[in-house]
Amino acid sequence: MARGQLTASVLDNYFEKTWELKRTILVVDDDDISATILERILQDHYRILRASNGQEALDILRSGEEKIALMLLDLQMPVIDGFTLLGIMGQAEKLRHIPVIVITSNDGNEYEVRCIEQGAVDYITKPYVVNIVRSRVNRIIRLYETSALLNAVERDWLTGLYTKEYFFIESDRMLRRPGAPQYDLIVADVHNFSLFNQRYGMEKGDKLLRIIADRMMTSLGGHGICSRLHSGFFAILVEHEYDWEKKLTWQPKGSIDGISLQQVVVKYGVYMDVDKNVPVFTSIYRTMRAINSIKKIYGQVIVYYDEKMRDMLNREQRVVASMEQALREHQFEVYFQPKCALHTSEIVGAEALVRWNHPEYGFMSPADFIPLFESNGFITKLDFYVWQETLRIMKEWKEEGRKLLPVSVNISARDFFIPNLAQAIINLTDRYGIDHHLLHLEITESAYKEEPEHIIATMSQLADQGFIIEMDDFGSGYSSLNMLSELTLHVLKLDIRFIQKNCHAENGRNNMGILQFIASLSQWLNLVTIVEGVETAEQVEELKRIGYKYAQGYYYARPMPRAAYEKRLEEV
Ligand code: C2E
Ligand code: CA
Ligand code: CA
């Protein structure tokens, strides 16, 4: 059904069905008596939440835990007054659409007019007349929901599934229906869908989505509803099941115009017995974050959103909330891990690795926060800080007359969004007076797949200026031989998993073939190779035998604070 076909009778039907479900009204008033009177007038038909000032109201709205159908707002209040609150709401994408009725003591003064201008939809004057309050409230809510419904086109043009907007309305209705059964929410994400699109074109991408949508519809068999949220994201609300592992078989099979779908992976987040008291978009958001947590885990396709996950996500949220302050307060510290020559064990340089001394969680390893910062973009600020700290320390070493060895810093894929990244790095390095060839730049292999041309151009600009470019985590699976020969590159750092998989005592020498191959490849490409993650003397021997020259790993040293690294350098 398209937009125009939502007829009056459909709407009436909708309101009839849903009117018995109590919508929530937020009453914001510092006058307890006035708020209590409003509550009494409305409580038979609505659930009433109360806030005694604008700040409290904002906290409730921003938590997103409650879907607010309407707000009744007193103007004069402490902390944040009604007028200011309206202004804040008007600026916030998620709050702008909540209708607000202003409460005033006298009719039509200038203040109210300003509030209406500011976005309030109506006003009610004190003392309250019961029928007027009820009818205004009913009318406004109905008006707003009608227009929301009218705006919600029901079907997604591409897949024929519900649109996101319609799915939100419909699932909230299903969840809140009196006597509703338990429901599970499933979010499905076509892993790397944009890559599929890029590689094979939009038309094939569209076909893929249609195939997945069809499989979902067929297997739901009328027990639930599904929607395409956007690009390769789908949401399903379905009656509760105990075993999703067996049922989630919407993995596309076969091929599209000769392209095998074997490579396409769909990842699922499952939120069992979804909380009926929060709006479905909040539950979807939580489930999506659960999926995010397995995005990079090869082979894991299902993740459950449960209490444990909730705690983890809450912790993540608190980490995110404290990151800016952490940067200001220098809670991040740069550690150094030596890179060594295999034949002499001599230190030839170091990698700068960040650590976080968190006031609440203590010492945190990058694995706990880097992926988070990569997804929210903060990594860019943090990386800049790490580069700057590293250069500052190198400058001090220089001034103290120490021998300067190269130090490598990590550049994450997100950093390439910085306008003119190359110039920023050049300026920073020059500001500290460090020779360009002493600052090595590590870019992980997987970064190149995102926007290869831009990254290649930036890196070759930096290489022209004398910086040494290292490809980090080489062998983790993205670059082709072709690409390697096109890049401006000086050093390959073999991914840690390599040595752990291929050069292990139990595996013997059988699996060394690949390491041997990479050794000759890097010789052929004229690249220095550093093997990461070397932990044992046997590995060192084996690597020397094959012809490697450099390594970084616990066998030589763990990442250490600056002072410890300085001491290590003095020992030799
Ligand atoms: P990476 O760049 O591949 O860094 C090497 C990681 O391997 C480091 O983990 C290091 O401690 C660890 N490692 C070194 N030798 C061994 C070994 O023999 N055995 C084992 N099991 N591990 C070893 P770390 O410091 O926890 O960092 C993890 C990742 O976090 C780094 O991987 C890098 O991707 C990221 N990271 C760390 N600092 C920064 C930073 O300042 N900026 C950015 N963008 N990423 C960073
Ligand atoms: Ca690195
Ligand atoms: Ca690495």
Side-chain angles (χ1 to χ4, degrees):
M1 186 166 42
R3 185 188 297 247
Q5 290 166 277
L6 265 176
T7 57
S9 71
V10 173
L11 287 174
D12 282 345
N13 196 6
Y14 169 78
F15 281 109
E16 222 166 87
K17 272 202 216 144
T18 61
W19 206 241
E20 78 263 21
L21 316 175
K22 278 194 168 180
R23 282 149 172 83
T24 304
I25 293 180
L26 178 59
V27 175
V28 191
D29 194 342
D30 61 323
D31 177 348
D32 202 38
I33 296 175
S34 157
T36 307
I37 296 173
L38 276 179
E39 183 163 0
R40 294 254 165 87
I41 296 177
L42 296 167
Q43 68 190 9
D44 284 350
H45 292 100
Y46 297 97
R47 201 173 111 67
I48 306 295
L49 282 183
R50 278 167 61 168
S52 57
N53 61 57
Q55 185 58 54
E56 264 182 52
L58 265 184
D59 291 344
I60 293 176
L61 294 171
R62 283 186 177 147
S63 78
E65 298 280 318
E66 282 278 346
K67 184 170 179 176
I68 308 291
L70 177 83
M71 186 159 113
L72 288 166
L73 176 66
D74 182 32
L75 290 179
Q76 274 102 8
M77 282 181 307
V79 193
I80 293 181
D81 68 11
F83 191 67
T84 316
L85 179 60
L86 276 173
I88 296 173
M89 288 174 70
Q91 299 293 319
E93 182 61 36
K94 289 214 177 95
L95 308 183
R96 199 180 294 155
H97 308 293
I98 300 173
V100 179
I101 298 181
V102 165
I103 307 163
T104 66
S105 333
N106 42 359
D107 233 337
N109 66 32
E110 199 192 326
Y111 213 40
E112 288 135 31
V113 176
R114 272 175 65 201
C115 282
I116 302 275
E117 274 171 10
Q118 190 82 11
V121 292
D122 206 345
Y123 59 88
I124 296 176
T125 46
K126 293 182 197 171
Y128 301 122
V129 180
V130 175
N131 284 342
I132 291 188
V133 172
R134 283 196 185 136
S135 68
R136 283 207 181 157
V137 164
N138 291 348
R139 182 177 61 82
I140 297 285
I141 289 183
R142 195 176 166 125
L143 198 69
Y144 264 70
E145 291 193 359
T146 306
S147 78
L149 261 183
L150 283 171
N151 281 324
V153 180
E154 191 186 317
R155 296 283 174 183
D156 171 36
W157 61 273
L158 179 65
T159 58
L161 301 179
Y162 284 136
T163 59
K164 178 173 75 181
E165 293 77 13
Y166 200 87
F167 181 82
F168 288 168
I169 295 173
E170 184 61 14
S171 34
D172 278 337
R173 190 186 68 73
M174 284 163 66
L175 288 170
R176 291 178 186 202
R177 204 172 44 204
Q182 287 179 316
Y183 281 103
D184 297 341
L185 174 74
I186 299 169
V187 175
D189 169 24
V190 184
H191 191 56
N192 284 340
F193 177 62
S194 56
L195 267 186
F196 185 92
N197 254 343
Q198 268 170 30
R199 190 171 300 166
Y200 303 114
M202 296 266 282
E203 199 188 320
K204 306 279 190 302
D206 287 354
K207 276 192 184 167
L208 172 65
L209 295 180
R210 273 198 288 265
I211 290 175
I212 295 172
D214 284 349
R215 290 185 74 97
M216 281 179 185
M217 291 281 259
T218 322
S219 65
L220 274 185
H223 292 287
I225 56 171
C226 37
S227 151
R228 185 167 72 104
L229 300 173
H230 63 88
S231 57
F233 275 104
F234 297 85
I236 291 139
L237 188 75
V238 56
E239 283 171 33
H240 179 55
E241 283 274 350
Y242 287 93
D243 189 5
W244 280 111
E245 307 278 327
K246 284 206 193 87
K247 298 218 163 178
L248 290 178
T249 52
W250 303 318
Q251 212 67 37
K253 296 201 176 88
S255 62
I256 304 175
D257 308 335
I259 302 162
S260 162
L261 297 183
Q262 204 77 34
Q263 55 176 319
V264 177
V265 177
V266 182
K267 297 213 171 197
Y268 302 100
V270 180
Y271 184 170
M272 299 244 244
D273 188 14
V274 64
D275 188 347
K276 292 179 175 154
N277 297 314
V278 303
V280 81
F281 74 78
T282 307
S283 305
I284 288 178
Y285 175 69
R286 290 174 177 170
T287 316
M288 275 185 164
R289 294 190 52 192
I291 295 184
N292 266 343
S293 70
I294 59 160
K295 267 218 158 125
K296 291 192 178 147
I297 305 179
Y298 179 78
Q300 187 178 349
V301 289
I302 299 185
V303 60
Y304 288 90
Y305 177 84
D306 52 18
E307 263 173 43
K308 216 173 104 205
M309 173 77 59
R310 190 191 175 128
D311 290 348
M312 193 191 88
L313 293 178
N314 281 345
R315 183 167 178 270
E316 273 188 17
Q317 221 154 25
R318 285 200 296 274
V319 164
V320 167
S322 58
M323 64 195 186
E324 295 275 359
Q325 188 183 2
L327 199 61
R328 283 196 301 275
E329 293 178 353
H330 300 278
Q331 290 170 18
F332 294 105
E333 187 180 346
V334 177
Y335 271 44
F336 296 87
Q337 185 179 33
K339 295 173 177 174
C340 295
L342 280 159
H343 291 270
T344 59
S345 297
E346 188 190 355
I347 298 179
V348 295
E351 174 175 5
L353 292 155
V354 71
R355 298 291 181 266
W356 187 355
N357 299 307
H358 196 285
E360 193 181 336
Y361 305 123
F363 190 79
M364 283 190 358
S365 107
D368 294 332
F369 56 88
I370 295 275
L372 204 60
F373 292 169
E374 275 173 344
S375 63
N376 70 15
F378 184 70
I379 190 68
T380 302
K381 277 192 186 172
L382 179 62
D383 276 346
F384 203 82
Y385 177 81
V386 171
W387 307 336
Q388 190 167 2
E389 273 298 287
T390 304
L391 288 164
R392 187 183 63 77
I393 292 170
M394 290 174 84
K395 180 175 183 238
E396 285 179 14
W397 286 339
K398 195 172 153 188
E399 285 165 356
E400 288 162 13
R402 294 172 192 271
K403 183 174 156 223
L404 270 190
L405 294 176
V407 178
S408 61
V409 292
N410 290 283
I411 300 186
S412 98
R414 282 294 283 250
D415 298 338
F416 290 89
F417 290 121
I418 300 177
N420 217 344
L421 174 69
Q423 198 54 50
I425 291 178
I426 295 167
N427 292 348
L428 193 67
T429 313
D430 291 347
R431 195 187 317 152
Y432 287 93
I434 300 299
D435 283 345
H436 293 180
H437 72 274
L438 288 173
L439 190 70
H440 291 205
L441 307 170
E442 294 192 10
I443 296 96
T444 150
E445 183 187 31
S446 59
Y448 285 95
K449 76 173 194 282
E450 311 255 321
E451 265 192 276
E453 289 87 13
H454 175 54
I455 298 187
I456 292 171
T458 309
M459 296 324 286
S460 56
Q461 195 185 341
L462 284 159
D464 286 346
Q465 292 292 317
F467 291 90
I468 304 295
I469 314 299
E470 307 197 1
M471 180 185 270
D472 203 358
D473 305 336
F474 174 72
S476 52
Y478 292 98
S479 54
S480 62
L481 276 180
N482 242 346
M483 191 171 139
L484 268 189
S485 57
E486 275 172 26
L487 296 178
T488 318
L489 201 62
H490 308 101
V491 180
L492 283 185
K493 291 189 82 179
L494 274 205
D495 189 61
I496 235 168
R497 280 165 289 184
F498 244 97
I499 188 126
Q500 285 169 352
K501 249 201 349 245
N502 296 294
C503 192
H504 221 270
E506 300 106 68
N507 290 344
R509 289 186 182 180
N510 299 345
N511 288 325
M512 299 300 284
I514 185 88
L515 280 169
Q516 213 130 29
F517 170 72
I518 295 173
S520 24
L521 175 76
S522 49
Q523 247 164 27
W524 179 61
L525 291 168
N526 211 5
L527 297 172
V528 173
T529 304
I530 302 179
V531 184
E532 274 196 283
V534 174
E535 292 183 359
T536 66
E538 293 85 64
Q539 290 171 339
V540 171
E541 285 317 309
E542 208 45 50
L543 291 169
K544 280 201 283 198
R545 194 185 61 76
I546 301 174
Y548 285 100
K549 295 206 176 65
Y550 303 101
Q552 180 181 339
Y554 294 171
Y555 174 74
Y556 295 105
R558 289 184 179 245
M560 56 186 99
R562 167 195 181 164
Y565 178 62
E566 288 170 357
K567 219 161 143 217
R568 274 296 277 266
L569 286 176
E570 283 161 11
E571 279 166 11
V572 285

